[in-house]
Amino acid sequence: MSKAKKTLASVFAVSLVTASVLAGCGAKEEKGTGAADGNAANTPKNLSILTSHANAKYAMQAKDDDQYIKELSKLSNYNLKYEFLGHGNDFTQQMTVRFASGELPDMIRTDSINSTMHPGALEKNVFEDLTPLIEKYGQNLKKKIPEQAWKSPRVSKDGKIYGIPSLAALPATRVVYIRQDWLDKLGMQQPKTVDEWLKYFEAVKKEDMNGNGDPNDEYGFYVRENLIYSNLFFSEFGADPNAWYLKNGQLQPGMIQPEMKDAIKFWKSLYDKGYINPNLFTNKGADWMGGIKQGKGGAWIHDVTNYNTDWNVANFVNEKNVKLSMIESPTGDKGKGLSPQGDQIGYVWVVPAKNKKAEDVIKFLDWVWSDAAEEFFALGIKDYNYKIENGKPKWDMNDPVNKENDASVFYQLSINPRGDGRMLDKVLEVSPNTEAIKNGIKIAEKNIFKNDALHMPTLQSLKTNPELTVGTGAGTLFLDMFAKVITGKEDADSAFDKFVAEWKRRGGEAAIKEATDWYNAFNKK
């Protein structure tokens, strides 16, 4: 659940409503406008919901009479009918077909009110303006969804709100994982500066840390293809390749900044000294994770949300007494950080105007965001997934009931209109390693750096030129140049300068202009 201090009330106060509305913004959670109370005297109303199965095993096989959907219907006092589409490109294609057909349910998951899945829908008044309904029936929405989310152009336009944000589990999730048992064995403290990290890398290189008799198969920092979960030692030099920065009145990508040249040279030194794995450009996700569990990595980047699952120390191969710590990114001369500041929006709910169900949708979502709903989205069905013993819930994500086909993922994520419930307070209270995860959450927030491009939509000037995409994705000009320099095929200075000139020539200049125009318009006083 978001810890943000401000709420939707701030947005309304600035641009939408009168002083009489402001008086209600500080009110306590409204119980009477929620779905369960609002429909109490009536037959439960029907609501149809279109979403993605998100590659969750349980959601892929869920039927209309699924027990979790039935329980959610009972608790909310709405007859809910979920329809699960595919994921990724499949979801995009299926959604495009649905919008073309005009056969739309009452609530629809999309990535933005201006999504390419439904071009022109907003302008054609396909979506209901939810602003007055949120004010009348959405006290919990206003209280619990952070201000940054409501400001997003994915949600609102021209002072009107057309979408309800669904939030990621946390404002930030990225942390640096490090082998604490290796640090203990080496007699070293957790590294905080770039220089301290280099000392750790050198020690790992010299010692047989995993004890398999080969001192040359461990690497201080284990890297994944396309630098996925690997963007360490960039912000420390002043520019992250995945971020944009306001420089000299222009919004420019970090990957073309002069500081990037120093970061690339540093990465080449890591490669040359054997501090990072030589297969970094071909190390696919499954192999990357497997290598770490085989004791090949002394540190890596991943999400705090995966601490109990992907990084369960019991799953490390042929190693005993594995200990992991989650720590902050190193401090460099020009900065630190892993993740640019975000709006925390996972996806957005839109409501087709022609269905005349907008009031019910807002009442339902307001109940979803109430305290009364949190226990279900955290722990599942009472006396089935969890029990109350001595006044406290007893729940186990590895219990057969929860573990079967990732059932806990289904009620915490798949059918959770809030978004991702896997880090809710009620989950943390009953999860293993609670203190470690809570500490990791604090660390992840410290790994955020300022994002001058917060809320910027996908630029039109880059849509037809994927090789110009800002970041380290496959096939980008940046990654191609980076790989050639790291492996010694090209000189860092000349290769970087050539890359910047080529990026600008092939459309980058237009992208900078478009980004700058957006920034000035979005941030105008």
Side-chain angles (χ1 to χ4, degrees), residues 491-509:
D491 171 73
D493 290 301
S494 60
F496 180 78
D497 293 343
K498 179 182 176 182
F499 152 72
V500 173
E502 181 72 1
W503 186 85
K504 289 182 176 180
R505 183 188 68 80
R506 292 171 65 166
E509 289 280 16

Side-chain angles (χ1 to χ4, degrees), residues 7-9 12 17 20-34 131-145 150 164 362-363 365-367 369-371:
T7 66
L8 176 58
F12 278 68
V17 300
S20 62
V21 173
L22 299 179
C25 294
K28 295 182 178 180
E29 182 178 292
E30 295 279 342
K31 301 290 187 182
T33 58
T131 314
L133 292 171
I134 294 170
E135 176 52 36
K136 188 172 183 180
Y137 302 111
Q139 295 302 308
N140 293 322
L141 297 174
K142 291 166 60 177
K143 177 182 177 182
K144 295 184 177 180
I145 297 177
W150 293 110
I164 304 296
I362 296 303
K363 286 180 177 180
L365 288 176
D366 196 68
W367 175 83
W369 279 95
S370 71
D371 290 344

Side-chain angles (χ1 to χ4, degrees), residues 56-130:
K57 291 184 291 185
Y58 191 104
M60 291 181 187
Q61 53 83 46
K63 302 294 190 295
D64 287 345
D65 62 347
D66 178 83
Q67 60 184 333
Y68 294 105
I69 296 176
K70 289 173 67 175
E71 180 71 7
L72 182 56
S73 297
K74 173 185 173 183
L75 294 170
S76 66
N77 204 28
Y78 275 99
N79 288 326
L80 304 173
K81 179 177 175 58
Y82 277 82
E83 181 181 355
F84 299 99
L85 300 184
H87 185 59
N89 290 334
D90 288 343
F91 181 72
T92 299
Q93 294 170 5
Q94 291 164 359
M95 282 283 285
T96 301
V97 172
R98 289 299 291 270
F99 271 90
S101 74
E103 295 298 321
L104 302 175
D106 304 322
M107 280 174 58
I108 303 172
R109 167 180 169 164
T110 182
D111 52 10
S112 168
I113 59 175
N114 289 305
S115 175
T116 55
M117 293 186 289
H118 40 74
L122 186 64
E123 291 72 20
K124 295 175 184 176
N125 300 314
V126 172
F127 303 140
E128 185 82 23
D129 173 9
L130 305 174

